[in-house]
């Protein structure tokens, strides 16, 4: 418990605030990095789902309705 009090005295106002991941990027904190990973992972899954829907449309739905014919 003594270490925490010493750290609080040394850091002053900065104590308890999120630390930047890299000192040369002061706005990039661990919380923002976690949020970025969460959002980009979700976006990747949406992209995969969209790709499957497009593939199904090109491969099965379009030819079934006579919109086009497959070349194979």
């Amino acid at each position: 418990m003594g270490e925490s009090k010493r750290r609080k005295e040394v850091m002053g106002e900065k104590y308890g605030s999120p630390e930047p991941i890299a000192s040369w990027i002061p706005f990039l904190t661990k919380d923002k990095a976690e949020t970025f990973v969460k959002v980009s992972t979700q976006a990747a899954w949406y992209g995969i789902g969209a790709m499957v829907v497009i593939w199904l449309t090109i491969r099965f739905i379009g030819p079934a309705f006579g919109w086009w014919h497959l070349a194979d």
Side-chain angles (χ1 to χ4, degrees), residues 18-19 21 28-36:
E19 295 181 23
I21 292 176
L28 184 61
T29 61
K30 291 180 182 179
D31 295 335
K32 289 183 181 179
E34 289 175 7
T35 303
F36 173 75

Side-chain angles (χ1 to χ4, degrees), residues 6-70:
R6 280 190 293 271
R7 194 177 322 122
K8 187 174 182 180
E9 289 174 4
V10 170
M11 293 181 75
E13 294 284 328
K14 292 183 179 181
Y15 183 76
S17 64
E19 295 181 23
I21 292 176
S23 60
W24 48 277
I25 307 176
F27 57 87
L28 184 61
T29 61
K30 291 180 182 179
D31 295 335
K32 289 183 181 179
E34 289 175 7
T35 303
F36 173 75
V37 169
K38 182 179 176 184
V39 168
S40 62
T41 302
Q42 186 176 14
W45 280 110
Y46 284 139
I48 292 168
M51 184 177 62
V52 168
V53 168
I54 291 169
W55 180 80
L56 287 172
T57 301
I58 291 171
R59 183 66 176 100
F60 298 109
I61 297 172
F65 286 121
W67 296 339
W68 56 78
H69 300 283
L70 296 177

